[in-house]
């Protein structure tokens, strides 16, 4: 059996920082980021809470299981849950706490 290929994933934060990761084809983006010591927000690790939401800028990420925390309109807008998302090509992904705020209205505003 052949191992899935590794992909180059570039993470992009709102403040302009970027980080390049090598992500194995069967590894989640969040797991690769944790392996490299990058601090991405996460909560449930099952695709239910959306704390780890990112947005694909280029490339292809797929979810290992149903992303229960994302609505169809979020998926149409290329949002992904990094705790269950694995790459299928080299990618660029917007990350950080600000991305989740784009999905959830803040009742305190």
């Amino acid at each position: 059996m052949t191992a899935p290929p590794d992909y180059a994933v570039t993470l992009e934060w709102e403040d302009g920082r970027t980080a390049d990761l090598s992500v194995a084809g069967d590894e989640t983006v969040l797991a690769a980021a944790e392996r490299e010591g990058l601090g991405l927000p996460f909560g449930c690790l099952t695709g239910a809470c959306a704390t780890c939401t990112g947005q694909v800028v280029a490339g292809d990420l797929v979810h290992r299981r149903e992303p229960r925390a994302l609505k169809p309109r979020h998926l149409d807008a290329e949002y992904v849950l990094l705790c269950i998302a694995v790459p299928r090509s080299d990618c660029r992904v917007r990350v950080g706490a600000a991305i989740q705020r784009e999905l959830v209205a803040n009742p305190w505003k």
Side-chain angles (χ1 to χ4, degrees), residues 9-63:
V9 176
T10 300
L11 305 179
E12 302 176 351
W13 281 264
E14 294 295 310
D15 64 5
R17 289 180 300 137
T18 63
D20 295 320
L21 292 173
S22 177
V23 182
D26 61 349
E27 183 178 36
T28 67
V29 174
L30 181 63
E34 287 293 307
R35 176 175 36 80
E36 295 299 321
L38 299 171
L40 294 181
F42 67 91
C44 69
L45 298 176
T46 65
C49 76
T51 303
C52 64
T53 301
Q55 186 178 33
V56 177
V57 176
D60 188 27
L61 288 174
V62 297
H63 292 110

Side-chain angles (χ1 to χ4, degrees), residues 27-106:
E27 183 178 36
T28 67
V29 174
L30 181 63
E34 287 293 307
R35 176 175 36 80
E36 295 299 321
L38 299 171
L40 294 181
F42 67 91
C44 69
L45 298 176
T46 65
C49 76
T51 303
C52 64
T53 301
Q55 186 178 33
V56 177
V57 176
D60 188 27
L61 288 174
V62 297
H63 292 110
R64 284 182 168 169
R65 65 176 75 156
E66 178 186 355
R68 292 180 291 155
L70 296 180
K71 297 178 176 168
R73 65 178 153 65
H74 299 144
L75 297 169
D76 290 345
E78 303 291 335
Y79 289 103
V80 292
L81 300 178
L82 299 175
C83 71
I84 59 170
V86 294
R88 290 297 174 255
S89 71
D90 293 345
C91 302
R92 289 184 18 239
V93 183
R94 293 176 58 229
V95 296
I99 305 302
Q100 185 198 28
R101 287 194 303 267
E102 294 173 4
L103 303 183
V104 180
N106 181 345

